[in-house]
Coordinates of all heavy atoms in Angstrom, one line a residue:
K272 N 7.0 0.7 -4.4 CA 7.3 1.4 -5.7 C 6.5 2.6 -6.0 O 6.9 3.4 -6.8 CB 7.3 0.3 -6.8 CG 8.3 -0.7 -6.7 CD 8.3 -1.6 -8.0 CE 9.4 -2.7 -7.9 NZ 9.4 -3.5 -9.1
G303 N 6.8 7.0 -12.5 CA 6.5 6.7 -13.9 C 5.0 6.9 -14.2 O 4.5 6.7 -15.3
W328 N 5.9 27.4 11.4 CA 7.3 28.0 11.2 C 7.5 28.6 9.9 O 8.1 29.7 9.8 CB 8.3 26.8 11.5 CG 9.7 27.2 11.3 CD1 10.4 28.0 12.0 CD2 10.6 26.8 10.2 NE1 11.7 28.1 11.5 CE2 11.8 27.4 10.4 CE3 10.4 25.9 9.1 CZ2 12.9 27.2 9.6 CZ3 11.5 25.7 8.3 CH2 12.7 26.3 8.5
A383 N 35.9 19.0 10.7 CA 36.3 18.1 11.8 C 37.2 16.9 11.4 O 38.1 16.5 12.1 CB 35.1 17.6 12.6
Y447 N 23.9 9.0 10.1 CA 24.8 9.0 8.9 C 25.1 7.5 8.5 O 24.9 6.6 9.3 CB 26.1 9.7 9.1 CG 26.8 9.2 10.4 CD1 27.8 8.2 10.2 CD2 26.5 9.7 11.6 CE1 28.4 7.7 11.4 CE2 27.2 9.2 12.8 CZ 28.1 8.2 12.6 OH 28.8 7.8 13.7

Side-chain angles (χ1 to χ4, degrees):
K272 290 185 177 180
W328 176 68
Y447 54 92

